Each structure stands twice: as structure tokens, then as C-alpha cells.
Amino acid sequence: MKILITGKNGQVGRCLVDLLEAQTGLTFLALDREELDITDSIQVDKIVTEFQPNIIINAAAYTAVDKAEQESELAFAINRYGPQNLAYAANKINAAILHISTDYVFDGNSAESYTESDVTAPQGEYGRSKLAGEHAVAQACPKHIILRTAWVFGERGNNFVKTMLRLAKTRESLGVVGDQFGGPTYAGDIAKAILTISKQVVRESKAYGIYHFSGFPHVSWYIFAKKIFEIALEQDLHVQPIQVNPITTLDYPTPAKRPANSRLNCDKIHNAFGIEQSDWQAALVRIKEYS
């Protein structure tokens, strides 16, 4: 089994590399943006043709949600045309592609957790670029897996957990949005889910389509922050006690609209691959590794 990974320096990409280095019986090639510009179709085709992977895992993405409102062209180049180039190259050699997507493809207005078949309606350029990438991948390569996730955090890269830990060292109080809900998702668990899916897809060549994978239980950003600080204090991470106050989305305006509901229904991925939702509270127990 041969795996090609793009975006190796992102949160999920780095976890994938760590995971694959401990595996036997497979070969992988992990590349960053300097080694592979996924928006360059010629370069993509050359590397894929030479390496001949069984599956391409696209962990590369433009993720600056607010900047995407002003950098729409760049967001679409990376999130739409890049995945399309990879999917075309995969299809050319009869390989599969696994593409990581996001909860931002939904409008966030549903009262229920989103299923894979729910109507998409992104509210900003980032979400629109990611949805366009989903469509491009599906059209270019029949052997595709689109994995939507949300609220990603991990030991590496920038994320909500690291931001909270940094603020706790200098603030006595903090306002955190309490009317947006989702499932925090540990990047290492995403990597494990991706490897499980990849092995089964390559071996059985079926179960293609869209899947959701995120953390549980569902919480607000406010509750998530309180849990972060609670564990940080328990483990004596040199953070001071901090007063966390719930605020509304209107109290914290941003250039791009955030979904009020980012909860993803993960029944389908469990039924197809036996994958359980990410236990974000268990991942936070290792909070010393995030600071």
C-alpha cells in the first residue's frame, strides 16, 4: 500500500506522518507546499505518476476563514482547484483520493446534527471554496472519500486550545462565545480515522462518498474553554485562575460568519468503518503537550 499525503505540516498532516512512521507494510510520501504546489496541475500529475500511490490523502487547505473574505481567489485556488488537480491525477492511475472538508459547508442554522445528505449552504468564502472542492473531487475521481470535520485541535499548529492556554497566562477574565455549538476534534483521532478508512478502501475498493467525523460530546466554545482551563489548572501548567464569561456571536463580530451549529452526525462513518467519534476530553488530558 502506497500513500501520498499533501499538507504534511498542517495539524492533521503532521499527525498522519507520525502515525504512518509507526506502521509496517506500507510506503508513504508526505509533502508540504514547498515540495508540492497542489494548484500546479503539471507538478501534481508528475509526482502522482512517478510515485503511483494507491490513495492520495489531501490534508492541504487554505484555512484562514476571515482572510478568505478578501482572498477569495487564493482560497478557491487551494481549496477547489488544488483538490481537483489531485483527484484528476488519482483517477488517471486508478487510485483513490481522501479529501478533508469542513462543517462550514453548512449554514449552521439547523436545530439537529448535520448528516452527510443535508443541504449545504456555506455562508462565507471559505465555506464556499471548500464546498467547491468537494464537488470538484467527486466529479474528477469516482474513487473518492470526502471527510468533513470540525473544531480541530492538536499538539501542533495554531488552534483554539493553544490560544486559550496562551491567554490564560496574561488574562484574569475572558469572554468566549457561548451560542455556537460543535464537537471539538483531536487531530490525532482524525489521522487514525483516515488511516482506517484508507486501508479498507484500498483493500475492498468500496464505500466511497461523503462522511462526517468530529468529536463528542457537543459543546459550546465557552464550555470547551472552561474545560481547557480546568485541566490546565489541575495539571499545574503555570496558568492563573481565569474567569470565563459566555458572550454571544453578536458580541464578537468577525469578517466571516461562523456557523451557530457545527454539530456533525457521525453515524455513517461508524456504520461503514466502525469508527467511533473523537473523545476530545480524553485528548485534553494530555494538555501539557499543547503548551
Side-chain angles (χ1 to χ4, degrees):
M1 181 176 175
K2 298 177 71 175
I3 302 173
L4 174 64
I5 300 168
T6 65
K8 75 173 185 182
N9 289 327
Q11 290 191 87
V12 176
R14 293 170 79 172
C15 287
L16 271 169
V17 170
D18 290 343
L19 187 62
L20 291 172
E21 285 178 341
Q23 296 283 315
T24 58
L26 57 80
T27 302
F28 73 93
L29 175 64
L31 304 171
D32 60 21
R33 70 180 68 181
E34 284 74 31
E35 296 165 314
L36 174 60
D37 177 3
I38 64 172
T39 68
D40 184 335
S41 60
I42 296 174
Q43 187 180 11
V44 167
D45 190 68
K46 180 176 183 295
I47 287 178
V48 171
T49 301
E50 289 177 352
F51 185 62
Q52 291 286 309
N54 300 107
I55 187 167
I56 297 171
I57 298 171
N58 181 34
Y62 178 103
T63 58
V65 175
D66 288 325
K67 288 178 69 176
E69 296 301 302
Q70 286 75 46
E71 296 181 347
S72 176
E73 185 174 341
L74 179 59
F76 272 80
I78 298 172
N79 292 343
R80 194 269 187 209
Y81 293 103
Q84 181 182 58
N85 291 337
L86 292 166
Y88 274 135
N91 188 55
K92 183 178 177 181
I93 63 167
N94 197 33
I97 182 169
L98 189 153
H99 172 63
I100 301 174
S101 193
T102 174
D103 59 294
Y104 276 77
V105 299
F106 298 111
D107 62 16
N109 295 328
S110 175
E112 305 294 333
S113 298
Y114 283 99
T115 68
E116 290 81 354
S117 60
D118 282 333
V119 174
T120 53
Q123 299 296 292
E125 291 302 288
Y126 167 70
R128 282 188 277 271
S129 70
K130 291 297 288 183
L131 182 59
E134 288 189 10
H135 292 163
V137 167
Q139 291 167 6
C141 184
K143 297 171 66 172
H144 66 268
I145 297 286
I146 292 166
L147 188 68
R148 294 174 181 152
T149 190
W151 293 25
V152 181
F153 72 94
E155 298 91 341
R156 295 156 172 167
N158 297 317
N159 56 67
F160 184 78
V161 175
K162 288 192 171 187
T163 298
M164 293 299 102
L165 292 175
R166 184 178 69 251
L167 291 175
K169 294 180 180 179
T170 58
R171 302 277 192 92
E172 294 182 355
S173 65
L174 185 67
V176 180
V177 173
D179 59 358
Q180 296 173 16
F181 296 85
T185 314
Y186 174 53
D189 289 339
I190 299 173
K192 290 177 183 177
I194 287 173
L195 183 56
T196 296
I197 293 169
S198 298
K199 287 181 176 179
Q200 292 191 39
V201 163
V202 169
R203 182 175 64 248
E204 301 175 13
S205 191
K206 61 180 184 179
Y208 301 115
I210 300 174
Y211 293 89
H212 289 172
F213 179 76
S214 65
F216 193 81
H218 297 139
V219 291
S220 66
W221 289 112
Y222 163 71
I223 296 299
F224 188 27
K226 284 178 67 70
K227 190 66 176 179
I228 292 167
F229 297 135
E230 175 188 319
I231 294 176
L233 286 169
E234 287 175 354
Q235 299 192 8
D236 191 26
L237 288 191
H238 306 293
V239 298
Q240 58 189 14
I242 186 169
Q243 176 65 41
V244 186
N245 303 307
I247 61 174
T248 68
T249 299
L250 292 176
D251 294 327
Y252 188 72
T254 55
K257 182 181 178 182
R258 264 62 175 173
N261 177 18
S262 290
R263 296 175 295 165
L264 300 177
N265 182 301
C266 299
D267 290 345
K268 183 180 177 183
I269 198 169
H270 179 262
N271 293 335
F273 299 104
I275 294 172
E276 301 285 349
Q277 288 187 254
S278 175
D279 185 346
W280 61 267
Q281 293 180 99
L284 275 184
V285 171
R286 302 189 302 277
I287 201 166
K288 288 183 179 181
E289 301 172 17
Y290 299 75
S291 59

